[in-house]
Amino acid sequence: MKWWTSYALQEDEVKEDRPKEQPLAFDKEAQFAKTNRSRKDPARDPTFGRSDPMALACGTCEWREKHRAAQSACKESRFFEAVQLINCALEALEQQIPEAKHRPALLLTEPQTFAEELQGSLGEHAPHVAELWATRADILMNLGGLKRASGELAAAALLAPEVPRIQELQAECRKLERYQEEGIAEEAATAAQGKVPAHILTGFLGSGKTTLLNHILQETSGRRFAVIENEFGEIGIDDKLIARREDLGAEQIIEMNNGCICCTVRGDLIQGLRSILKKTSLEGTKLDGVIIETTGLADPAPVAQTFFADDLIQAKMTLDGIITVVDAKHCLQHLREEKPEGVENEAVEQLAFADRIIVNKTDLVSESEIEELTKEVRSINRLAPMIYTQKSKVKVEEIIGIRGFSLDRVLDSDAEFLRDDQDHQHDQTVSSVGIECPGECDREKLNAWIAKLLTERGTDIFRTKGVLAVKGCDERFVFQGIHMIFGGQPQDPWPENEERKNRLVFIGRNLDRAELERGFKATLV
């Protein structure tokens, strides 16, 4: 006898008190423009470019001082700090060039365009601009951004073609580019420095990231991975929804709850990565890799930036790739969602930064829907290979050890990726409600409550997950849901001496905490 009901409600079954919204025509250029407005604008924000740890003040400090500090940081392999300093030097110099005021920030973001447009009117400032670009190119070459460095050197050469340092850096950059094309540079550097490869798993809520993580660990038995797991919810649930990681080969597990890894707990991510490096160093062991599973609401850009922002991590780890998992059933709905002013669409950002795109749950959609989704995804990211799958089952060699992350590719789409003062804003209407209470549920009341909740609020509830104690069942009941699709199954038995405690998390828009708590507690025996 089936004692639990799995729901997969159709859109037209959902009852809504408010009028139906009209379909939105999604304008990607407008969305990206809106996203970029959430980052501080130098033309409007006098604090732009400042970094508290370094006490930078771009508008008042002499550009030469910042330039010397950037060169010193580069020599000492503090490359991320050097980028912030040279950016400040460029912005300070820009304030002294009258012609530059008509095109704010162009000197920093589009050097070749700046050089071509203002070459004849820069006067005495031309060699100074070229000098700063050359230093920035030197820093980027050390970080692996060879294409961007080459562009900045070309712009510098346009303004000061006879400067020996620019010519020397151009020759070095061409040599490194040739090595990179032959696959020599990265392999040699990684082998020589013994860097630990890191893999970022991203994707919107409920796309299948945790399932993919379990699959990777199962298929790489015998290899040693450390896992960093981030949850948006107030209560950690994923450790109960997954298989036993230690049994699968996870060497070390670090959980980060109640905060998005790309903003509020980014410092914890750095500490977590440093902890992994310290542990392996003390034990004299070697890791095969680190896997970071982000929350479904994370912007992957600040997470990727972490591998350049901390000197120790930059020296000891390398970002192998960003793997984005897509829920074929609900992806278009989230890509086309209209966000408030200044708020990023995380689903778009996750695809834009992907080195591999896994289109998951293809069994839930038709071929025509997959074609429509593919077209939409390709309009955002035309380069990343796409893998179509069910239950996140992919060949591990297609996503691990791919050396897919390219700083140059990221800088092409986001020239300010390496800035340390970007402002990531979440949609404030989206929140998490966690419920934790002892007791046992009545299965009939539970079924009725879940069915009513999803019917009435399913479009606004992005994600549900939890572990329940059901009367008459000796096993934990683990459930998960995405919008109106909901299901679960018994998992491990409850330990004899452990209190039976229910743990649930809801993530969605305009959630009513009191209503959800009352509704669930009414199902308790």
Side-chain angles (χ1 to χ4, degrees):
M1 176 179 177
K2 184 176 181 181
W3 60 273
W4 184 270
T5 304
S6 293
Y7 300 98
L9 306 181
Q10 300 301 314
E11 302 290 340
D12 56 4
E13 294 181 51
V14 180
K15 299 175 183 176
E16 297 188 57
D17 296 329
R18 60 184 183 279
K20 280 191 174 290
E21 297 177 357
Q22 295 300 314
L24 295 172
F26 182 61
D27 185 340
K28 295 176 193 63
E29 292 184 2
Q31 178 61 53
F32 279 118
K34 179 185 292 185
T35 295
N36 288 334
R37 282 197 295 272
S38 71
R39 296 169 178 161
K40 296 179 183 177
D41 185 342
R44 294 179 297 210
D45 188 350
T47 68
F48 183 72
R50 298 182 184 179
S51 178
D52 291 338
M54 294 179 285
L56 303 180
C58 299
T60 58
C61 289
E62 223 289 330
W63 65 266
R64 288 186 177 87
E65 177 187 343
K66 293 302 173 187
H67 185 207
R68 286 193 293 268
Q71 290 177 312
S72 176
C74 184
K75 287 179 181 178
E76 296 171 8
S77 298
R78 293 180 284 116
F79 301 122
F80 189 74
E81 181 180 344
V83 170
Q84 312 313 312
L85 288 162
I86 198 64
N87 287 348
C88 285
L90 283 161
E91 288 170 349
L93 180 58
E94 183 181 55
Q95 298 303 312
Q96 301 179 22
I97 304 175
E99 294 81 3
K101 294 180 180 179
H102 301 293
R103 301 293 300 275
L106 195 67
L107 183 148
L108 180 64
T109 59
E110 298 182 46
Q112 289 178 287
T113 302
F114 183 93
E116 291 167 1
E117 292 185 1
L118 301 178
Q119 180 183 8
S121 58
L122 291 176
E124 64 179 7
H125 296 297
H128 302 323
V129 172
E131 186 181 2
L132 295 187
W133 280 339
T135 296
R136 191 169 193 270
D138 190 8
I139 298 166
L140 289 172
M141 286 162 64
N142 281 285
L143 289 171
L146 301 181
K147 181 180 176 183
R148 178 74 184 192
S150 177
E152 303 216 354
L153 288 169
L158 197 61
L159 299 184
E162 303 302 325
V163 175
R165 179 170 177 255
I166 296 174
Q167 296 174 4
E168 291 168 5
L169 286 171
Q170 282 184 308
E172 183 182 349
C173 190
R174 283 193 293 268
K175 180 173 69 175
L176 290 174
E177 285 181 309
R178 187 172 68 254
Y179 285 165
Q180 190 177 67
E181 289 173 3
E182 296 172 358
I184 297 173
E186 187 176 355
E187 291 179 15
T190 301
Q193 299 177 38
K195 289 189 175 183
V196 178
H199 321 278
I200 298 174
L201 304 186
T202 187
F204 204 73
L205 297 161
S207 57
K209 297 184 296 298
T210 300
T211 304
L212 176 62
L213 176 55
N214 278 330
H215 174 68
I216 292 171
L217 295 176
Q218 287 170 338
E219 294 298 310
T220 55
S221 178
R223 295 165 66 181
R224 303 174 72 244
F225 286 96
V227 174
I228 293 181
E229 190 173 78
N230 179 217
E231 291 190 62
F232 181 76
E234 302 168 313
I235 298 173
I237 295 291
D238 281 359
D239 60 329
K240 300 296 187 299
L241 296 180
I242 60 179
R244 287 180 289 275
R245 296 277 169 84
E246 294 86 347
D247 295 344
L248 295 176
E251 182 66 23
Q252 185 176 355
I253 304 169
I254 298 176
E255 293 183 9
M256 300 177 183
N257 297 334
N258 199 22
C260 186
I261 203 169
C262 64
C263 44
T264 58
V265 296
R266 183 178 159 198
D268 292 339
L269 172 60
I270 292 175
Q271 290 304 313
L273 292 170
R274 280 176 163 260
S275 172
I276 289 169
L277 290 171
K278 182 179 179 180
K279 181 176 185 290
T280 53
S281 176
L282 290 173
E283 294 176 351
T285 56
K286 183 180 182 300
L287 278 177
D288 292 300
V290 175
I291 303 174
I292 302 170
E293 181 189 355
T294 72
T295 170
L297 295 175
D299 177 353
V303 184
Q305 191 192 73
T306 302
F307 292 90
F308 301 92
D310 184 87
D311 297 331
L312 178 64
I313 294 169
Q314 198 273 328
K316 299 293 185 181
M317 290 185 171
T318 182
L319 181 53
D320 183 65
I322 299 174
I323 301 102
T324 298
V325 188
V326 168
D327 174 3
K329 177 71 174 176
H330 300 102
C331 182
L332 285 176
Q333 172 183 339
H334 294 296
L335 291 177
R336 294 170 176 174
E337 183 179 356
E338 184 70 15
K339 291 288 187 177
E341 180 71 20
V343 174
E344 298 175 5
N345 185 322
E346 296 91 353
V348 173
E349 294 290 311
Q350 290 161 4
L351 281 172
F353 277 87
D355 299 308
R356 294 289 186 276
I357 299 169
I358 298 175
V359 181
N360 193 32
K361 306 183 183 181
T362 54
D363 53 320
L364 301 181
V365 294
S366 65
E367 289 187 11
S368 61
E369 288 174 308
I370 291 178
E371 289 177 6
E372 182 182 7
L373 173 59
T374 299
K375 183 178 179 181
E376 191 87 10
V377 169
R378 280 294 176 229
S379 69
I380 299 169
N381 186 328
R382 60 184 178 83
L383 297 175
M386 296 179 67
I387 304 168
Y388 300 86
T389 187
Q390 300 174 19
K391 298 181 180 178
S392 296
K393 289 189 176 180
V394 299
K395 293 180 180 179
V396 174
E397 59 268 23
E398 294 182 345
I399 57 175
I400 298 293
I402 58 174
R403 297 198 301 274
F405 182 82
S406 166
L407 180 60
D408 277 324
R409 184 179 67 81
V410 173
L411 289 172
D412 275 346
S413 60
D414 183 0
E416 299 186 359
F417 168 72
L418 289 173
R419 297 202 70 124
D420 199 27
D421 52 8
Q422 298 188 20
D423 185 20
H424 172 62
Q425 297 184 44
H426 286 294
D427 186 345
Q428 296 302 308
T429 66
V430 177
S431 64
S432 163
V433 171
I435 301 173
E436 187 170 12
C437 64
E440 294 183 324
C441 302
D442 178 287
R443 64 184 65 169
E444 291 184 4
K445 291 181 180 179
L446 192 60
N447 270 325
W449 176 65
I450 288 289
K452 184 174 185 293
L453 178 66
L454 296 183
T455 301
E456 296 177 349
R457 298 293 310 281
T459 53
D460 286 336
I461 298 178
F462 300 157
R463 189 79 165 100
T464 56
K465 52 186 176 179
V467 179
L468 304 177
V470 178
K471 185 172 178 59
C473 179
D474 295 329
E475 299 163 312
R476 292 186 175 98
F477 189 85
V478 174
F479 74 88
Q480 299 192 59
I482 304 101
H483 290 292
M484 283 75 71
I485 298 177
F486 183 92
Q489 61 185 10
Q491 204 177 67
D492 299 326
W494 287 96
E496 291 184 9
N497 299 325
E498 181 178 323
E499 179 186 23
R500 295 196 175 195
K501 185 176 291 186
N502 301 282
R503 302 168 74 194
L504 307 85
V505 168
F506 297 86
I507 302 173
R509 184 180 291 106
N510 301 319
L511 300 181
D512 186 326
R513 178 183 297 275
E515 176 190 359
L516 291 170
E517 288 182 345
R518 282 196 307 271
F520 174 71
K521 289 180 178 179
T523 71
L524 297 177
V525 175

